[in-house]
Amino acid sequence: MRGSRSVIAAAVAGALALGVSACGSSSSSGDGSSSSPSRTPAIPLKAGENPAGQVLTGATKKRGGTLTIYSSEDFEHLDPGESYFTQDYGVDYATQRPLFAYMPNTASVISPDLASEVPTTANGGITDGGKTVTVHIRPGVYFSPPVNREVTSADVAYAIERGANPNVANPYFTSYLGAGAPAPLQGATSANYKGGPIPGIQTPNKFTIVFHTLKPSGYFLVQALSLPLSAPVPESFAGPLDKQSPTTYGTKYLVATGPYMIQSDPKTGLFQGIGYQTGKSLTLVRNPRWNPKTDYRPAYLNRIDFNIGGDATVIGRQVLQGSDSLEFDTPAQSMVKLAYDSYPSQITFTPGAGDHYVSLDNVHGPFANVDLRRAVWANLDRAAIVKLKGGALTSEPATHFIYPGVDGFEQAGGYPGPQTDFNADVNGNLAVAEKYIKLAGYKTGKYTGDQTVQIVGASNGNSPGIVQLTNSDLTQLGFKTHVSLVDQSVMYAKYCGVPKQEIDVCPSGGWVRDFADPLTVLYVPFYGPSIVSTNNSNWGQVNNPQINAAMKSASLVTDPAARAQAFANVDKMLVEQAVAIPAGVNQLWNAGTWDLDYTSLENP
């Protein structure tokens, strides 16, 4: 999924500090979800800063109270059918119930959520050689007002089918479930399919849904159904809203199945202007139709108030010096250091996942030339970017796209990465950069073309500094540039995530794997058929035939070791083609969001 620029730091009086993103472990204190060896963190953690050993529930966790959350950036999509940003997922998993989920203390073991059990070949849930998956959903789960009725299998079917509706434009439907996907659903692979009933999804009864795929991909499909797209959506309520372009489900109206819901009009479901003020605030309250007997979440809090906007440094101090509050998005570098030095019990370093990279348009403008992309890579000071993100406390310079804790990382070169001259120096090397500019046809070693490079970056947190550093890299090489800074959610929704905008450089991109498979690190951002017209996550519009073929071939490999090697080979190809520039990998922190379902207050 699209990640925050760096990681999450927060402080809550007595709250559990565990990230909820489906991500891998790069430290020995992780859950052992990957075969990749870990590197010992360079920075020693103090008491309270390492979440290992913290309990998820218990008598010491008190119920009630209001939690205040500060965030310098807004949400991108609150509709579970559109969400693909860590900021949004934090709300999704508090308000919605997908079929499956990951507990906060694991990145590899999936658990049933709306489903009553995880399908396997042993229990008869995966049959037909892996081409049929049968899921039984829990009875007694209800939609929030104004729908108020019990959830059925038809609601899950509609939720998934609407993902292909252009008015919803789910960013991973095509990549995971459509044409060329690892788990293509029967009837959903046509280029003309734009939503509606899928023959490969059947609902034989009220609490059973059956998926038929064209490939033996049952295990992968189950993992994919942990994403918010599988959270039920009532067609009677959302259908009319989905006919609008774009849908107003998730921007004005929404219903919930989780323990919390966005505060809204109970008669209409309208939340815009009531529980959500764009760019200002979001309020979560208890879902009156939630039944704790059907859910594993403790849901301690009564109310969650988000304050949106403001300077990350000011927010950081408010949280560290206040109470009953946390920071939801990326903290300022100065706040990371302050918290580590002076407030060790109020910051948690979760062994991390996710990487940050600078995307370059591979199709339009000057960076359609691979040697110009290699030149920018060679000159970029990736070590300086890491310093801007918080230094060794948070990450280290990246050398390729599969990151620590994900199978394939070591096979692709480990920490040193693939051995190319433009990748060798994380501090940047102007001489190597000039060599590639000459290979691109510019004899002086400087770009002398007449195209102006459009750079769009996030205005939040540490991103402006990263944008400035990237801009300096480009201007040093002779490029004329134009820089625009916008809120990160706007950056994705209006610019970098819209191919027709043809943005040359997006320096603020981040990526977190969707679940425990190396495919989910590379497929959506770099597989050509994954490009969609809106809500796109292949920001560089990478569509290399050789890479596409290698990616498709790797997706069919089932042996874990061979699969890791196959995706490592793809990773090396991505580096060789310099499709983007991996700038930093989160070595210690979790690039996801807080799990609000497990957060409690000391004195509610």
Side-chain angles (χ1 to χ4, degrees):
M1 83 189 81
R2 292 191 284 266
S4 295
R5 295 172 303 283
S6 178
V7 286
I8 306 302
V12 183
L16 275 172
L18 289 174
V20 68
S21 183
C23 56
S25 170
S26 59
S27 163
S28 59
S29 63
D31 63 8
S33 63
S34 171
S35 60
S36 301
S38 61
R39 172 178 288 189
T40 302
I43 303 297
L45 299 184
K46 305 172 186 177
E49 291 177 343
N50 191 333
Q54 291 191 36
V55 295
L56 298 181
T57 59
T60 60
K61 310 302 178 185
K62 300 179 182 179
R63 295 189 177 276
T66 297
L67 174 69
T68 300
I69 297 180
Y70 297 95
S71 176
S72 65
E73 58 192 309
D74 202 352
F75 300 94
E76 185 179 354
H77 296 292
L78 295 170
D79 173 2
E82 297 177 276
S83 297
Y84 209 35
F85 179 32
T86 54
Q87 192 86 344
D88 303 338
Y89 273 29
V91 173
D92 284 342
Y93 288 118
T95 61
Q96 307 295 333
R97 298 191 64 178
L99 290 174
F100 309 102
Y102 289 89
M103 298 287 283
N105 57 353
T106 181
S108 61
V109 180
I110 202 166
S111 298
D113 190 336
L114 179 64
S116 60
E117 65 178 351
V118 176
T120 65
T121 54
N123 63 22
I126 299 178
T127 56
D128 191 23
K131 291 184 179 180
T132 299
V133 175
T134 301
V135 180
H136 301 287
I137 68 174
R138 302 176 192 270
V141 177
Y142 282 76
F143 288 110
S144 64
V147 177
N148 289 309
R149 67 165 173 80
E150 191 174 25
V151 171
T152 70
S153 55
D155 299 315
V156 178
Y158 179 71
I160 296 171
E161 291 162 354
R162 68 188 290 270
N165 181 338
N167 297 339
V168 178
N170 180 269
Y172 51 81
F173 181 94
T174 299
S175 299
Y176 292 161
L177 305 175
L185 293 170
Q186 293 181 13
T189 59
S190 168
N192 296 322
Y193 176 68
K194 303 296 182 184
I198 299 174
I201 299 180
Q202 299 173 349
T203 53
N205 61 55
K206 186 177 179 181
F207 298 118
T208 303
I209 184 167
V210 182
F211 300 90
H212 298 281
T213 64
L214 297 175
K215 298 177 184 178
S217 50
Y219 172 77
F220 185 92
L221 177 63
V222 170
Q223 303 293 310
L225 293 175
S226 68
L227 294 170
L229 179 64
S230 74
V233 174
E235 183 174 8
S236 59
F237 182 81
L241 307 175
D242 288 343
K243 292 179 181 179
Q244 302 180 50
S245 180
T247 180
T248 53
Y249 188 77
T251 58
K252 293 183 178 180
Y253 303 88
L254 194 68
V255 291
T257 48
Y260 299 103
M261 59 179 284
I262 300 175
Q263 189 175 45
S264 60
D265 185 329
K267 295 182 179 180
T268 65
L270 176 69
F271 69 82
Q272 179 63 254
I274 300 173
Y276 178 58
Q277 306 281 344
T278 304
K280 295 181 179 179
S281 64
L282 174 75
T283 299
L284 300 184
V285 295
R286 284 196 173 276
N287 175 2
R289 299 312 305 268
W290 177 69
N291 183 353
K293 293 181 179 179
T294 70
D295 205 335
Y296 59 88
R297 301 167 179 83
Y300 295 109
L301 303 166
N302 285 341
R303 180 184 175 103
I304 304 168
D305 289 331
F306 288 79
N307 290 303
I308 303 169
D311 182 84
T313 302
V314 175
I315 288 173
R317 289 193 177 276
Q318 281 180 297
V319 171
L320 290 174
Q321 297 172 358
S323 62
D324 298 352
S325 62
L326 64 82
E327 183 171 358
F328 209 58
D329 62 348
T330 308
Q333 179 200 11
S334 59
M335 292 299 99
V336 175
K337 186 177 186 305
L338 176 63
Y340 177 77
D341 290 339
S342 304
Y343 299 89
S345 66
Q346 296 195 65
I347 185 169
T348 295
F349 295 85
T350 303
D355 51 12
H356 163 262
Y357 48 78
V358 177
S359 67
L360 304 173
D361 190 334
N362 284 224
V363 179
H364 314 93
F367 302 121
N369 186 308
V370 64
D371 285 318
L372 289 182
R373 298 199 300 270
R374 290 166 178 159
V376 176
W377 183 319
N379 199 47
L380 186 64
D381 190 340
R382 287 168 279 163
I385 288 180
V386 166
K387 289 181 181 179
L388 289 170
K389 285 159 58 72
L393 275 172
T394 64
S395 58
E396 62 181 86
T399 56
H400 53 122
F401 299 98
I402 295 180
Y403 51 80
V406 178
D407 289 334
F409 172 72
E410 289 294 333
Q411 294 91 329
Y415 286 94
Q419 299 301 294
T420 66
D421 58 350
F422 60 85
N423 190 31
D425 192 344
V426 297
N427 299 110
N429 190 312
L430 181 59
V432 174
E434 290 176 340
K435 165 193 151 181
Y436 281 103
I437 291 181
K438 291 177 181 178
L439 289 174
Y442 301 93
K443 296 180 180 179
T444 64
K446 302 290 183 185
Y447 177 75
T448 55
D450 57 3
Q451 292 176 294
T452 297
V453 173
Q454 300 295 323
I455 304 173
V456 177
S459 59
N460 318 83
N462 306 316
S463 186
I466 295 172
V467 172
Q468 181 179 358
L469 194 150
T470 304
N471 186 54
S472 296
D473 170 29
L474 291 164
T475 56
Q476 186 178 30
L477 298 178
F479 292 96
K480 301 179 183 68
T481 63
H482 180 270
V483 177
S484 299
L485 294 178
V486 296
D487 184 270
Q488 175 145 310
S489 63
V490 175
M491 178 197 78
Y492 284 134
K494 302 294 184 182
Y495 297 99
C496 299
V498 183
K500 70 178 182 181
Q501 295 285 1
E502 298 181 7
I503 305 301
D504 297 299
V505 183
C506 291
S508 303
W511 195 256
V512 186
R513 74 182 190 182
D514 288 319
F515 44 87
D517 193 298
L519 179 148
T520 69
V521 177
L522 304 180
Y523 214 78
V524 175
F526 303 121
Y527 183 57
S530 73
I531 298 171
V532 291
S533 60
T534 60
N535 217 353
N536 177 53
S537 293
N538 185 336
W539 304 304
Q541 302 187 55
V542 180
N543 194 11
N544 182 295
Q546 289 75 35
I547 292 174
N548 291 344
M551 196 94 73
K552 187 174 182 179
S553 177
S555 72
L556 300 175
V557 179
T558 56
D559 176 76
R563 188 176 180 87
Q565 184 61 61
F567 278 104
N569 294 340
V570 173
D571 195 5
K572 293 175 183 177
M573 294 174 70
L574 294 169
V575 172
E576 173 61 26
Q577 290 297 308
V579 296
I581 307 171
V585 58
N586 296 330
Q587 171 65 13
L588 289 179
W589 285 11
N590 186 324
T593 56
W594 277 65
D595 192 333
L596 300 175
D597 297 314
Y598 287 84
T599 301
S600 63
L601 303 177
E602 272 186 353
N603 299 297

